[in-house]
Amino acid sequence: MQLVDIGANLTHASFHPDVADVIARAREHGVAQIIITGTTPEDSRRALQLSEASDFLFATAGVHPHHARECGPGTIPALRELAQHPRVVAIGECGLDFNRNYSPHPDQEKWFVAQLELGLELGKPLFLHSRDAHPRFAEILKHHRIKTAVAHCFTGEREELKAYLDLGLYVGITGWICDERRGKHLVELVREIPRDRLLLETDAPYLTPRDLKPQPKARRNEPAFLPHILRAVARALGRPPEEIAAETTRNANTLFRLHESGSSAAAQRPLAA
Ligand SMILES: [Zn+2]
């Protein structure tokens, strides 16, 4: 069984002491590839550096809506430069977060649109974040004709899901589905996601599956727990985990073109054995 964790925040401070162990554990648990989420230009640079350590790691380059207020004239050129690297497989995470509102809405929209345009310019898929921002988020995507993208960490309701599927987006499911209080609706909604649009992610170190026993130290989530999320999704769908693993891995490879990125990255390293 081979899985792809399409969203892990491995640059997070909680991973600093043992990131190599975390990655090794993920591999032992069948996570064949990990896409490391970038949330600012600086953080995206660290994600890229981390990804260069192994052929099975990739990165995104983007600015999370929380950080929109920190953006300036240098932001998009910095992301554009990072995105030239073959291991950077998507622009993001970018989007709107009207839940925490760490940045004013006009700033969030401005830099969301700027990153959508960058993705279109470079022909890269988008790694999208939306929280409490429906329907504005979908309106902007529709206006810019964004199709090649994933709505990461989907936790919304039916209407929001339908809007994304109508746009042709992929949908990322996290351990939220394992939460018997907040994620109950997802157990039903996940059945409405076409099987060629479904992706799996941990969003580590966040969103530790609530039903994981024993709970990890400091409740830190990590990519090695992805099979636990896979099993919850497979249960909801009434299908064998192996089947869902194969499908979601195929979907991740289709959207992010991981094989291409891996091999072209290897080709760029003339000294690699
Ligand atoms: Zn997010």
Side-chain angles (χ1 to χ4, degrees), residues 11-188:
T11 59
H12 189 272
S14 65
F15 289 123
H16 288 176
D18 62 341
V19 71
D21 294 344
V22 167
I23 292 167
R25 260 198 305 276
R27 301 276 292 174
E28 281 162 24
H29 286 82
V31 181
Q33 288 154 317
I34 302 172
I35 303 176
I36 305 166
T37 313
T39 56
T40 66
E42 196 42 47
D43 181 55
S44 302
R45 193 176 307 279
R46 284 193 296 267
L48 171 58
Q49 274 166 5
L50 198 52
S51 78
E52 286 178 302
S54 310
D55 276 346
F56 50 85
L57 300 175
F58 301 88
T60 71
V63 179
H64 190 285
H66 288 345
H67 297 283
R69 66 189 315 157
E70 300 153 26
C71 292
T75 303
I76 296 299
L79 296 180
R80 183 182 287 113
E81 196 197 318
L82 288 168
Q84 304 304 324
H85 197 289
R87 301 206 80 79
V88 174
V89 294
I91 299 299
E93 67 177 301
C94 60
L96 301 175
D97 195 310
F98 296 167
N99 178 270
R100 302 276 180 94
N101 292 310
Y102 289 153
S103 286
H105 293 194
D107 287 350
Q108 290 195 33
E109 291 205 9
K110 177 181 171 183
W111 294 103
F112 177 33
V113 168
Q115 291 177 82
L116 295 180
E117 286 171 347
L118 181 64
L120 291 172
E121 173 198 317
L122 301 174
K124 293 257 184 192
L126 289 137
F127 190 91
L128 302 170
H129 171 105
S130 173
R131 189 119 187 248
D132 295 351
H134 184 71
R136 185 63 188 139
F137 176 77
E139 275 168 22
I140 292 174
L141 293 174
K142 193 170 181 189
H143 181 79
H144 290 270
R145 298 168 199 256
I146 300 299
K147 294 186 182 76
T148 312
V150 55
H152 117 92
C153 187
F154 179 79
T155 58
E157 300 296 333
R158 176 168 280 109
E159 189 197 321
E160 190 176 344
L161 178 64
K162 189 178 178 309
Y164 297 163
L165 295 176
D166 286 349
L167 288 165
L169 303 190
Y170 289 78
V171 180
I173 296 293
T174 60
W176 195 281
I177 197 170
C178 306
D179 187 328
E180 75 284 2
R181 307 162 309 162
R182 300 188 299 179
K184 223 174 174 178
H185 69 297
L186 281 183
V187 173
E188 278 177 38

